[in-house]
Amino acid sequence: ISQRGGLLIASNHISGLDPPLVGFAATRELHFLAKRELFENPLLGWLISTYNAIPIKRGATDRAALKKAVELMRQGEALLVFPEGTRSRDGRLGEAKPGLGMIALSTEATIVPAFISGTNQPLRSLIRRKCRVIVNFGEPIGPEHYRGLKPTKEGYYSLTREVMERIRRLEESVLG
């Protein structure tokens, strides 16, 4: 994980433990998007705000949250995004939203695909050790790789689909 420059880490999402664990594995301070409802709980809202969470409204395009994400990329910060926009209940990768592509094409940030497993069964991981928590980072995708894409909805989806395919390959390398 590069320690400098605008960076998007794009990961699957299976548990509320994913943001801090990916952040710990990245060895770089990360910002992340979190559903707005989490901020309604005063304690949780304070905690996740302290650790760089940006509230985002789900189910619609939240222009303010996306603008903040673009601003962070332009300032050389790192942002963890979950391209699917929500946690997977069954652990399988789902359909991704275009936000990742929009942020990347607007800022020419480097994208690092990531796959996390085992966080959906934390007690099993700690007590029985039958399930390990793994965070696997893929090869970075530099802006030179996607510079030819147009900043349109199709361009955003195209880039996001490619990143999801790389996350799938990481999943296969981890889970077999």
Side-chain angles (χ1 to χ4, degrees):
I1 302 294
S2 171
Q3 297 299 307
R4 295 186 183 173
L7 180 72
L8 287 166
I9 297 178
S11 179
N12 64 311
H13 190 21
I14 55 176
S15 163
L17 296 173
D18 296 343
L21 289 174
V22 173
F24 180 76
T27 67
R28 178 175 174 178
E29 184 175 5
L30 299 181
H31 298 264
F32 64 98
L33 299 172
K35 64 182 178 180
R36 186 174 303 278
E37 296 83 15
L38 295 177
F39 293 84
E40 292 171 5
N41 176 307
L43 181 60
L44 181 59
W46 172 83
L47 182 66
I48 62 178
S49 292
T50 301
Y51 288 98
N52 301 330
I54 302 163
I56 188 164
K57 188 179 352 173
R58 297 186 327 154
T61 302
D62 186 339
R63 294 189 192 288
L66 292 174
K67 183 179 177 183
K68 177 69 175 169
V70 166
E71 197 176 287
L72 287 167
M73 292 298 92
R74 290 188 175 142
Q75 292 171 359
E77 299 291 337
L79 178 69
L80 170 61
V81 294
F82 301 108
E84 298 158 285
T86 190
R87 283 182 308 197
S88 170
R89 298 292 177 199
D90 61 7
R92 293 196 303 229
L93 293 174
E95 184 85 19
K97 309 281 189 240
L100 165 70
M102 191 283 295
I103 296 167
L105 286 172
S106 298
T107 63
E108 295 194 346
T110 297
I111 305 165
V112 175
F115 178 76
I116 188 165
S117 66
T119 58
N120 57 337
Q121 301 173 345
L123 290 177
R124 193 171 173 195
S125 298
L126 291 172
I127 297 170
R128 295 188 185 156
R129 302 222 184 256
K130 291 188 183 224
C131 178
R132 295 184 320 170
V133 172
I134 297 172
V135 179
N136 193 5
F137 295 105
E139 289 294 316
I141 304 167
E144 65 281 352
H145 178 80
Y146 60 81
R147 204 168 267 139
L149 291 175
K150 293 187 176 163
T152 62
K153 194 172 187 177
E154 183 48 45
Y156 303 153
Y157 272 112
S158 177
L159 180 54
T160 301
R161 281 191 297 267
E162 179 175 343
V163 172
M164 289 302 292
E165 179 54 36
R166 291 189 185 209
I167 294 170
R168 275 183 190 69
R169 283 187 255 161
L170 289 170
E171 177 184 34
E172 290 170 5
S173 73
V174 169
L175 303 179

